């Protein structure tokens, strides 16, 4: 009989008892919820006072179309918006750029200017709704557009709450929507930390993401280890830029996946909190307990959804969401059942939100803090995960840290190997995927996916033409020159970028100004 293991390859015993709770030394003291090392959650009351923030990740086509979806989600009880941007926006290209052809509005909303951002959030109370933006290399640009829209609506930046993903290191590892080289990217991120500390103090300045690495094939151990290694690099870069750790660390946040392997996922979240608390206290000398808290958003695992019998995904998402809640997430996005086929339909997005509402209001998981505390299996799995994660973080450190390891292809290679092994298990049937390689049906019900109108690209291009014709182009160019000067020197680049955007420069023009100074990152072809 073959050994039973977790997704990370760690052993699972058929029976656990008290003797299994003393395995790995750092786990001997769990502490209390809301107290160091935060194994049992960052807050003492967790969901007994109020549930997690229910977010739905949405964005497609034009700003006006996405705005209509946001209004519907808010009306149906969404407590936080989560914006998906199309690939040209993510890569710092305007919709009329040659490289944007065929991609405008396809995997998210197209945002080229402050005018588009204003349409995107039209009629939404930005001082009441928390907004998360999944944007990385151009994160500063989209954040400043959001600030300008809020200020134009009479809302001061001090009242804005939300998160920008702003995690470029994982782009080099697993996703690919990078623009600038790593050193310049870290400088830009440090500038964002400093800017938000002064101007938008309630904003979470980065969401350090393991989600995309998990979607690329990372195991839970790799997801946590590589994410925390990246986080260490960001903290060190900010300190090197002259910031004090307790001035920016409380606004750091994280972003993880929730898989269907519920027990390991709960243990993963517990281990991640404990490891991060010790890193911040022992390696970086943080004094403020908020600097040691690992607060995170979770999204259910899109990679585990199937195009075959897509209704089964409703069950998967419910289990994944339950794992995130039992693991102590601060906010949650539940995927729509049809996402393996296309952009979510309105009905599917509403069902995904209803899944969270059932978890929050029809179960008893919110009635007590940390339901799994003391579980023989979860505590032992947490110990095993922590030991494996620390070993992998050390492997990254031995290669010179996250950036040096990225340049050596270490993280990417480890994830690709895990993805390959997973694919072999699915192909052989060793790993059962219901509806895909087991319990299949011959006649699949036809499903009509949501499609983006190809005419929107032309409409978006025409909006850009009108914008450029109506604005003061001389003023725009002067402000873009100021962006270049700041990029060449050591000044915070966000201030001149904001002025350029206010003068109606486009996101692509700002990105081009920085490209001219900082260059573009070109990955090594072979390792």
């Amino acid at each position: 009989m073959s050994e039973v293991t977790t997704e990370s390859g760690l052993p699972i015993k058929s029976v656990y008892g008290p003797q299994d709770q003393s395995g790995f030394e750092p786990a001997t003291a769990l502490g209390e919820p809301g107290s160091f090392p935060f194994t049992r959650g960052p807050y003492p009351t967790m969901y007994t006072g109020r549930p997690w923030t229910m977010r739905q990740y949405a964005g497609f086509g034009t700003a006006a179309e996405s705005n209509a979806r946001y209004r519907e989600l808010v009306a149906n009880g969404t407590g936080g918006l989560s914006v998906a941007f199309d690939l040209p926006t993510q890569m710092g290209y305007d919709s009329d750029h040659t490289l944007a052809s065929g991609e405008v509005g396809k995997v998210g909303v197209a945002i080229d200017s402050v005018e588009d951002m204003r349409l995107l959030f039209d009629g939404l109370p930005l001082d009441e709704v928390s907004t998360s933006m999944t944007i990385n290399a151009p994160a500063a640009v989209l954040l400043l557009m959001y600030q300008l829209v809020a200020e134009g609506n009479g809302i001061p930046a001090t009242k804005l709450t939300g998160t920008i993903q702003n995690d470029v290191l994982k782009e080099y590892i697993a996703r690919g929507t990078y623009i600038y080289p790593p050193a310049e990217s870290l400088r830009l991120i440090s500038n964002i930390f400093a800017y938000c500390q002064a101007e938008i103090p309630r904003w979470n300045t980065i969401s350090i993401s393991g989600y995309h690495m998990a979607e690329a094939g990372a195991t839970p151990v790799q997801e946590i280890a590589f994410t925390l290694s990246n986080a260490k690099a960001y903290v060190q870069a900010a300190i090197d830029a002259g910031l004090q750790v307790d001035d920016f660390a409380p606004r750091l946040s994280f972003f993880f996946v929730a898989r269907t392997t519920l027990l390991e996922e709960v243990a993963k979240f517990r281990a991640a909190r404990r490891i991060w608390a010790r890193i911040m206290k022992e390696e970086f000398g943080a004094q403020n307990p908020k600097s040691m808290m690992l607060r995170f958003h979770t999204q259910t695992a899109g990679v585990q959804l199937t195009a075959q019998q897509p209704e089964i995904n409703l069950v998967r998402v419910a289990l994944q969401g339950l794992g995130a809640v039992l693991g102590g997430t601060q906010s949650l996005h539940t995927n729509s059942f049809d996402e393996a086929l296309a952009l979510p339909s309105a009905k599917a997005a509403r069902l995904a939100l209803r899944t969270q509402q059932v978890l929050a209001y029809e179960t008893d998981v919110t009635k007590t803090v940390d339901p799994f505390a003391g579980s023989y299996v979860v505590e032992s799995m947490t110990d095993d995960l922590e030991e494996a994660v620390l070993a992998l973080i050390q492997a990254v450190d031995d290669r010179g840290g996250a950036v040096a390891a990225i340049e050596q292809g270490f993280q990417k290679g480890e994830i690709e190997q895990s993805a390959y092994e997973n694919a072999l298990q699915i192909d052989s049937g060793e790993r059962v995927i219901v509806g895909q390689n087991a319990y299949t049906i011959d006649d699949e019900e036809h499903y009509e996916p949501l499609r983006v109108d190809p005419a929107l690209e032309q409409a978006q291009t025409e909006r850009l033409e009108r914008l450029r014709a109506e604005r003061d182009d001389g003023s725009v160019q002067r402000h873009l020159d100021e962006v270049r000067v700041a990029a060449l020197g050591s000044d915070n680049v966000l201030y001149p970028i904001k002025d350029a955007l206010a003068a109606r420069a486009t996101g692509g023009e700002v990105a081009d100004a920085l490209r001219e100074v900082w260059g573009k990152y070109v990955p090594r072809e072979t390792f």
Side-chain angles (χ1 to χ4, degrees), residues 245-246 279-288 292:
V245 65
D246 285 323
I279 286 173
M280 292 305 292
K281 183 176 182 178
E282 297 167 9
E283 294 189 28
F284 293 107
Q287 300 294 316
N288 185 347
M292 307 172 203

Side-chain angles (χ1 to χ4, degrees), residues 31-245:
E32 296 298 323
S35 299
F36 183 89
F38 306 104
T39 309
R40 302 185 60 192
Y43 305 117
T45 59
M46 290 304 290
Y47 310 134
T48 60
R50 65 180 180 89
W52 59 93
T53 299
M54 299 179 194
R55 295 190 183 279
Q56 285 306 108
Y57 183 53
F60 63 96
T62 65
E65 288 176 292
S66 293
N67 175 261
R69 177 67 61 87
Y70 295 160
R71 286 172 180 253
E72 180 179 359
L73 288 169
V74 169
N76 278 283
T78 296
L81 299 174
S82 189
V83 184
F85 297 97
D86 70 357
L87 281 175
T89 303
Q90 294 181 47
M91 298 294 292
Y93 293 116
D94 290 330
S95 295
D96 59 355
H97 194 284
T98 54
L99 292 178
S101 179
E103 292 292 342
V104 176
K106 289 294 178 66
V107 299
V109 61
I111 298 294
D112 294 315
S113 69
V114 172
E115 306 301 325
D116 290 333
M117 188 68 85
R118 188 170 290 114
L119 274 176
L120 184 65
F121 291 103
D122 181 50
L124 294 168
L126 300 189
D127 52 345
E128 299 175 14
V129 175
S130 171
T131 301
S132 174
M133 293 188 274
T134 304
I135 194 70
N136 294 286
V141 171
L142 276 299
L143 173 62
L144 292 169
M145 287 182 182
Y146 188 83
Q147 181 187 357
L148 286 165
V149 169
E151 290 174 343
N153 292 339
I155 300 168
T158 53
K159 288 190 175 182
L160 298 179
T161 61
T163 305
I164 42 173
Q165 193 163 100
N166 196 28
D167 175 9
V168 179
L169 292 182
K170 65 97 173 45
E171 299 295 330
Y172 304 121
I173 295 172
R175 194 160 175 270
T177 62
Y178 44 73
I179 300 177
Y180 318 110
E184 285 75 15
S185 294
L186 287 174
R187 178 205 165 169
L188 183 55
I189 289 168
S190 297
N191 282 181
I192 292 171
F193 288 178
Y195 180 87
C196 287
Q197 180 186 341
E199 308 292 340
I200 320 177
R202 299 175 65 193
W203 197 267
N204 295 320
T205 51
I206 193 167
S207 179
I208 307 161
S209 175
Y211 182 88
H212 304 89
M213 290 184 274
E215 293 285 281
T219 67
V221 164
Q222 292 171 337
E223 176 193 359
I224 297 303
F226 294 150
T227 302
L228 298 189
S229 290
N230 288 350
K232 288 173 60 176
Y234 292 131
V235 171
Q236 190 60 58
I239 291 171
D240 291 345
L243 301 179
Q244 298 299 311
V245 65

